[in-house]
Amino acid sequence: MSAPELDDPKSAVLDALTFASAREQAAALAEGRVSAVELLEHTIARITRFDGELNAVVARDFDTARAAARDADAALARGDRRPLLGVPITVKESFDVAGLVTSVGNPAFADNVAERDSLSVGALRDAGALIIGKTNVPLALSDLQSYNEVYGLTRNPWDHERTPGGSSGGSSAALAAGYVALELGSDIGGSIRIPAHFTGVYGHKPSYGLVSLLGAGAPRGRFSARDLSVAGPLARSAGDLELALDLLLNRDPLTNRAWHVTLPPARHAHLAGFRVLMIDTWPGTERSVSERLVSERVVERLRTQGVQVSRPADLPGGLLPDLTRSHALYRTLLGSSLAEPPALSEAARERLAALAPDDDSADAAWLRAPTLAHRDWLRADEQRHALRHQWERLFESFDVVVTPVAPVPAFRHNQQQPKDARTYPVAFEDGVREVRFLDFFYWAGLPVLPGLPATSFPLGLDDDGLPVSAQAVGPWLEDRTPIAFAALLEEVYGGFLVPPGYEAGNTRATR
C-alpha cells in the first residue's frame, strides 16, 4: 500500500503533526483533523525517506500497523478515546513485540521471534498505540553507541558521523528525526538519558521497580527483574513522559491483583517553588567545557525564574552522599548484575591481578564485580539501601538535584576493541584531552544505584551545534517531580529542536 494522495490542507495538518507531541497527535485524531491511516502513512513515508541513512528503525511491521490503524479509525468513529489511540510509535529492540525478533543485537538470537508483547509494549498497545517497529541497540545493550552485527550502525540526525547514544540510541534517533512522538527504552547506565542528551529529546528513568521488564531481553523466559535496570519512556516533550509513565504502571499480573502504585503529585506547580541543588563537577575530576555550559545555562534560567539554587559547598557536612564511594558501589552492583558477564580483556585481567587488596576505587570495583561472592554482594546491597536513606534526608531540603548527563555531547563513532580501552576527546578549559570510556558514567550512574527517578531534558545547542542536556534527579517514587520540573522549564524556554534537514515538509522533498 502506498501513501495516500493528500490535498494541501491535509498535508499541512500532517506536517504540523510531524514534531508534535503524542498528546497533540492523539487530540488531532480524536478531533478528526487527521485519520490514523493518514498519520501512519506519513510516518512510514518519513522512515522510508530518511532511515536509509540513519538506520534507526531496524525491525518493521508496517502491515500489522496498517491493519491496526484501520481498526483505530473505526474505534475513533465509535467514540473510543484512549490516550494513544491511533498514534504510531516505535519501541527499543530489546522489548518483545509479537511476531518480531528480539535479538539485543546478538546474531545468536537473530531468530528469536517473540510470541507475545512484553508487558510494557502491551500497555502502550492497550492505550491505542500503533507499534510500527523496533529501534536499534548496541550488542547486549552495553554501549553508549548503537551498532551490532545484526542491524548495523545507527547515526545521529544532528551529525551522521556521531552516535545517537546507547543503548536506546535507535529510540532517540527515531524521535529526533520526526518519525514518532514516543518511544519505549530501558536504562541501567544512562541508556535512556544519554541518548536523549545526544539527540536533544526528553527521557525519563523511573524509580526502580515501578515498571515491569517482563518480556524484555534475550534469551526469553526470564521472570526475575535485573538489578538496577528500569524501563521508561523517551519523547520530544516532558508531558509525554508522564503520559507514558502512567500507562506503564501496574502491569504485572502477579502483583496488581493485590496492590497498585499511585505516584504522589509533583511537589510544585511553579518553577519558583523548587529548591534545587546543582552539581556540575564530579569529585576528583575537572569540569569539562560541556559540563560548565550545562551548569551555567541551567543556573541562569532558574535564577531568572526566581528559583533557589544551591551548590554542594553550601551544604552542611554529611548531607550530600559521598559520590566517590557511591560510584564504586554502583560499579560493584552493576558489574555483578549480569548473569553472563562478558569476559574481561587481557589488559583488564592484568589490572585485576595487580589490584591491591585495599583498593576501593571504582576501577577496582568494576574489575572485581563479575566474580563477586554472594556474601560480598549482600554487604554491597545493604550499603545501597543505606545510601537511599541518605538521599531521602537530602530531599527533605531539596526537591531536585540537577547535574549534567555526560561530560560531552554526542561523540564520533568509535568501534575500537576492546571497548574498555576506548578513549574519547573531551574539551576542558586548558584544551582537549582523551577520556576513558569507563569514565563516562559518573552522572548517569548517580541516580541508578539508589533507584531514584531522573529526567533528562534538553537545553539547546552548544557552540558546535550539538544538543546538550541536564538531568533532574528526584526522590524515590516521586517521579512526577523531576518530570514536572523539566516540563516547567520547557514552558518557559522551549525544549526539543528539529535537526537541520529533517524539518516537517521535507518528507516529500529531495534532501
Side-chain angles (χ1 to χ4, degrees), residues 418-452:
K419 183 170 53 184
D420 57 74
R422 293 178 192 161
T423 63
Y424 299 89
V426 176
F428 295 93
E429 297 298 335
D430 60 353
V432 176
R433 298 197 295 273
E434 293 291 321
V435 173
R436 300 182 311 163
F437 173 77
L438 294 173
D439 292 331
F440 274 69
F441 296 91
Y442 295 125
W443 303 119
L446 182 147
V448 174
L449 177 63
L452 304 177

Side-chain angles (χ1 to χ4, degrees), residues 222-497:
R222 179 172 180 158
F223 288 94
S224 61
R226 180 179 173 185
D227 192 20
L228 302 173
S229 186
V230 300
L234 298 93
R236 289 192 300 264
S237 73
D240 279 349
L241 298 179
E242 185 170 29
L243 167 66
L245 181 62
D246 284 339
L247 297 173
L248 296 170
L249 298 176
N250 302 313
R251 299 299 298 189
D252 192 316
L254 294 182
T255 59
N256 66 18
R257 68 180 65 172
W259 60 78
H260 287 75
V261 171
T262 302
L263 297 181
R267 290 188 175 188
H268 303 286
H270 304 284
L271 272 175
F274 278 86
R275 301 163 298 169
V276 177
L277 175 62
M278 180 77 215
I279 309 176
D280 63 5
T281 307
W282 192 265
T285 72
E286 182 183 345
R287 186 175 64 170
S288 72
V289 169
S290 184
E291 289 166 335
R292 175 181 56 79
L293 172 65
V294 165
S295 174
E296 290 177 350
R297 198 166 286 179
V298 169
V299 170
E300 177 187 10
R301 293 180 180 184
L302 292 178
R303 288 183 172 160
T304 299
Q305 299 301 313
V307 178
Q308 175 185 332
V309 181
S310 300
R311 299 282 193 167
D314 303 325
L315 307 187
L319 184 59
L320 180 66
D322 185 332
L323 299 184
T324 301
R325 181 169 168 269
S326 297
H327 190 66
L329 183 60
Y330 166 66
R331 281 292 186 184
T332 293
L333 292 173
L334 177 65
S336 60
S337 68
L338 293 168
E340 297 181 9
L344 293 174
S345 66
E346 181 178 351
R349 290 195 300 271
E350 292 174 357
R351 297 203 304 275
L352 174 61
L355 285 179
D358 61 349
D359 188 339
D360 60 358
S361 66
D363 275 8
W366 169 70
L367 290 166
R368 294 184 181 123
T371 55
L372 197 71
H374 185 56
R375 62 180 176 273
D376 294 326
W377 186 92
L378 290 172
R379 294 189 189 102
D381 185 46
E382 176 61 23
Q383 294 173 38
R384 179 236 307 265
H385 285 279
L387 178 67
R388 179 177 288 171
H389 284 275
Q390 281 189 272
W391 280 106
E392 287 302 302
R393 287 195 296 274
L394 179 77
F395 283 116
E396 293 174 3
S397 301
F398 296 97
D399 301 307
V400 291
V401 175
V402 178
T403 80
V405 180
V408 289
F411 49 73
R412 297 186 183 278
H413 304 295
N414 181 347
Q415 299 183 19
Q416 176 188 352
Q417 295 296 332
K419 183 170 53 184
D420 57 74
R422 293 178 192 161
T423 63
Y424 299 89
V426 176
F428 295 93
E429 297 298 335
D430 60 353
V432 176
R433 298 197 295 273
E434 293 291 321
V435 173
R436 300 182 311 163
F437 173 77
L438 294 173
D439 292 331
F440 274 69
F441 296 91
Y442 295 125
W443 303 119
L446 182 147
V448 174
L449 177 63
L452 304 177
T455 304
S456 175
F457 57 94
L459 292 167
L461 307 179
D462 68 5
D463 291 342
D464 294 321
L466 296 172
V468 292
S469 299
Q471 66 176 351
V473 180
W476 189 52
L477 299 181
E478 294 192 48
D479 292 56
R480 298 193 196 281
T481 291
I483 293 175
F485 178 77
L488 290 167
L489 279 170
E490 182 183 11
E491 286 180 14
V492 180
Y493 295 103
F496 170 76
L497 299 173

